[in-house]
Amino acid sequence: MTDIRAILTALLLAALMWPAAGSAQTTDDVTLDRIVAVVEDDVIMESELNYRLDQIRQQIRSRGNQPPPDSVLVPQVMERLVIERLQLQRAAGMGIRIDDIALNEAMENIARENRMSLPRFRELLVAEGIDFQRFREQIRDEMAISQLRRRQVDNRIQVSEQEIDDLIASESGAIDQDVEYRISHILIPLAEGATPADIQEARERAESVRRLALEEERSFSELAVSESGGQQALEGGDLGWRSAAQVPTVFARNVVLMREGDVSEVIRSPSGFHIVKLEGRRGGERARITQTHARHILISPTAVLSDERARERLESLRRRIAMGDAFEDLARAHSDDRGSAMRGGDLGWSDPGDLVPAFEEVINNLPPGEISEPFRTQFGWHIAEVLDRREHDSSRQLMRAQAREIIRDRKREDETELWLRRLRDESYVELRLDTRISGL
């Protein structure tokens, strides 16, 4: 849940600085609303674009910068809206739904993290002129996108033991969860199939942007807003505080060796040319890991067993366990994970990162002795039970667990960028921007 909570907290902090949607809208405004983009079988309206532009301008001003001209900002914001809409469409097509129970729990978490009750939290939003219902729906969308990315990106990431060995051998000094880095980032993107001329042009542009960053006539965040094609461009390229495990592979080694305030050389990757600034470095402590002892039953869909029927079979098995049938007996008889089925579904003790992310997320939030609701991973449908947890101190295991997470998170950053690029390239998008948009 950590990634979702981080998204939600960031959304809250931004929302508290942004005006409410439609707060000054008149009947004429509604009448004049029009389509500014067609995204597959959906549309983006001018009111949505202008609302988001107002949000981004206020966010940029809150950092002490002046927003770039609309000729720069409008295409950036439009592209973000398009990418968000495509992801929400894909999530809906895959049956990803955030129900009101999960949404209410997320809202409670946001309120709790801000040290207030949900009613008080709602009062605060309303007092700030924020449409509470629209805020809720934004959070629902962010949660759906987060689930989609876990399915489309995280579940495809594989980490081999050899990769772990290689990382420990080459970067043992960097495998240190006690250190966090505050990073800002600019990406000059390259399209798939770029020609040598395209690559040279992008490289020259990146070198020019780097010179501007070194000369400091414009702040790095201003350059990111106006020049970067990265996902965090409109946040000034700010990637936030990240452990070594969360620093993208392409510039991980640079960041570890940089001093605060340094701007990196131009760095090449499949997605384009990167420029990184190390904003800060801080220490932390982590000496022990939490191990989990769990068991599960897996039902995998097949050509004759639909996805829905697989889930229903697990619900039936869960009811039988609640009525007194032994978990281990049902696992031996029904689980498609034949390795663990022979042990009554027992997975033994696992370290963080040993299990696939979707499975680990469920058991991390499951109290010992409780049977989960059916949930899905790339292997099929599961029910799981946590038998026990323990704090375990093992330097070697800890280092390997850290190395595994470093590799997984680095791959996640790269894979997400490429996946979003493919999603955009493979989709039908028709932009209908003209000079009437936001004073252009």
Side-chain angles (χ1 to χ4, degrees):
M1 293 295 292
T2 302
D3 55 337
I4 295 177
R5 289 183 180 176
I7 289 170
L8 301 183
T9 301
L11 185 58
L12 168 65
L13 293 175
L16 291 177
M17 299 183 291
W18 295 341
S23 58
Q25 200 171 52
T26 68
T27 303
D28 288 341
D29 291 331
V30 176
T31 303
L32 295 175
D33 204 3
R34 65 189 184 86
I35 295 171
V36 293
V38 178
V39 183
E40 292 288 351
D41 56 358
D42 201 357
V43 297
I44 296 173
M45 304 302 294
E46 183 175 1
S47 59
E48 296 177 77
L49 174 59
N50 285 332
Y51 172 55
R52 190 64 68 90
L53 283 166
D54 288 342
Q55 293 179 332
I56 296 299
R57 290 188 188 105
Q58 184 61 33
Q59 188 181 23
I60 292 170
R61 291 188 184 103
S62 74
R63 295 195 297 266
N65 298 323
Q66 283 300 311
D70 282 351
S71 59
V72 173
L73 191 60
V74 171
Q76 286 261 37
V77 175
M78 175 60 83
E79 187 64 17
R80 174 171 291 191
L81 285 170
V82 167
I83 293 296
E84 288 177 5
R85 193 63 54 88
L86 287 172
Q87 289 178 92
L88 291 171
Q89 290 175 357
R90 183 65 61 89
M94 294 178 63
I96 296 174
R97 300 284 188 273
I98 307 300
D99 59 32
D100 286 341
I101 295 175
L103 181 58
N104 290 338
E105 181 181 346
M107 297 295 292
E108 291 278 1
N109 286 338
I110 296 175
R112 190 178 306 114
E113 289 173 4
N114 286 274
R115 299 179 181 178
M116 65 183 76
S117 66
L118 185 55
R120 176 72 187 106
F121 174 62
R122 178 171 185 164
E123 290 174 5
L124 176 63
L125 292 179
V126 172
E128 293 288 336
I130 296 167
D131 185 321
F132 183 74
Q133 187 59 37
R134 186 163 187 170
F135 180 79
R136 273 174 54 89
E137 292 309 310
Q138 283 183 288
I139 291 176
R140 194 195 301 270
D141 288 348
E142 291 291 345
M143 293 173 70
I145 288 172
S146 181
Q147 282 197 24
L148 172 70
R149 290 188 180 183
R150 283 201 300 274
R151 288 195 193 180
Q152 294 289 287
V153 179
D154 291 15
N155 288 339
R156 298 178 182 178
I157 296 173
Q158 303 295 324
V159 179
S160 70
E161 295 301 308
Q162 185 62 52
E163 287 177 298
I164 294 172
D165 291 339
D166 291 345
L167 180 66
I168 290 174
S170 64
E171 293 187 51
S172 58
I175 303 173
D176 186 358
Q177 297 299 324
D178 292 346
V179 179
E180 291 185 315
Y181 306 91
R182 182 71 180 268
I183 308 166
S184 293
H185 168 244
I186 293 173
L187 168 66
I188 306 301
L190 276 176
E192 288 191 42
T195 66
D198 294 333
I199 295 171
Q200 182 60 29
E201 181 182 352
R203 183 187 297 277
E204 291 174 358
R205 181 181 165 202
E207 293 288 359
S208 175
V209 171
R210 179 177 182 270
R211 284 194 295 272
L212 290 174
L214 292 173
E215 292 166 2
E216 296 185 342
E217 290 185 9
R218 296 168 64 190
S219 70
F220 196 92
S221 63
E222 287 178 310
L223 288 169
V225 172
S226 62
E227 305 292 341
S228 179
Q231 295 180 54
Q232 290 78 25
L234 293 175
E235 286 73 48
D238 186 5
L239 303 184
W241 286 102
R242 298 193 173 203
S243 67
Q246 297 168 319
V247 178
T249 310
V250 64
F251 44 80
R253 188 180 293 273
N254 299 73
V255 167
V256 169
L257 299 176
M258 288 166 66
R259 295 187 299 270
E260 290 187 22
D262 281 356
V263 175
S264 72
E265 300 289 335
V266 172
I267 304 164
R268 172 73 189 274
S269 84
S271 59
F273 294 94
H274 307 258
I275 307 161
V276 179
K277 181 178 181 181
L278 181 60
E279 305 284 359
R281 185 193 306 259
R282 69 186 182 190
E285 293 185 3
R286 180 184 173 188
R288 303 176 69 84
I289 59 173
T290 300
Q291 294 184 315
T292 302
H293 185 192
R295 57 185 179 182
H296 80 133
I297 299 173
L298 167 68
I299 303 296
S300 300
T302 66
V304 295
L305 181 67
S306 69
D307 198 69
E308 182 61 24
R309 285 289 301 141
R311 184 183 62 79
E312 291 173 356
R313 279 186 59 184
L314 272 177
E315 287 179 341
S316 175
L317 294 174
R318 188 176 186 277
R319 286 193 295 270
R320 288 177 61 180
I321 294 170
M323 296 294 291
D325 285 3
F327 190 111
E328 56 269 29
D329 292 341
L330 294 179
R332 291 188 185 99
H334 298 280
S335 181
D336 289 329
D337 179 5
R338 302 316 303 168
S340 68
M342 296 173 62
R343 302 186 298 273
D346 197 335
L347 296 169
W349 288 99
S350 63
D351 295 337
D354 282 353
L355 306 172
V356 296
F359 192 97
E360 195 164 88
E361 181 181 351
V362 171
I363 65 171
N364 283 348
N365 291 282
L366 196 64
E370 184 175 315
I371 309 295
S372 73
E373 297 288 341
F375 64 96
R376 208 185 194 294
T377 72
Q378 69 265 41
F379 302 110
W381 287 90
H382 309 252
I383 55 173
E385 179 184 11
V386 172
L387 299 173
D388 198 5
R389 285 196 178 91
R390 68 185 183 190
E391 293 295 313
H392 185 66
D393 188 3
S394 170
S395 298
R396 183 176 183 278
Q397 287 180 329
L398 178 58
M399 177 172 281
R400 294 191 71 80
Q402 291 172 347
R404 182 182 289 107
E405 283 305 301
I406 288 173
I407 297 168
R408 187 187 297 279
D409 284 342
R410 289 177 179 178
K411 287 184 175 183
R412 179 184 297 115
E413 196 89 17
D414 298 338
E415 287 296 324
T416 298
E417 194 73 46
L418 292 173
W419 174 72
L420 287 175
R421 190 74 54 80
R422 286 194 297 268
L423 179 64
R424 177 66 167 85
D425 292 344
E426 294 168 0
S427 303
Y428 174 76
V429 177
E430 177 189 346
L431 301 181
R432 298 182 179 179
L433 290 169
D434 65 25
T435 56
R436 289 181 292 171
I437 298 292
S438 299
L440 286 179

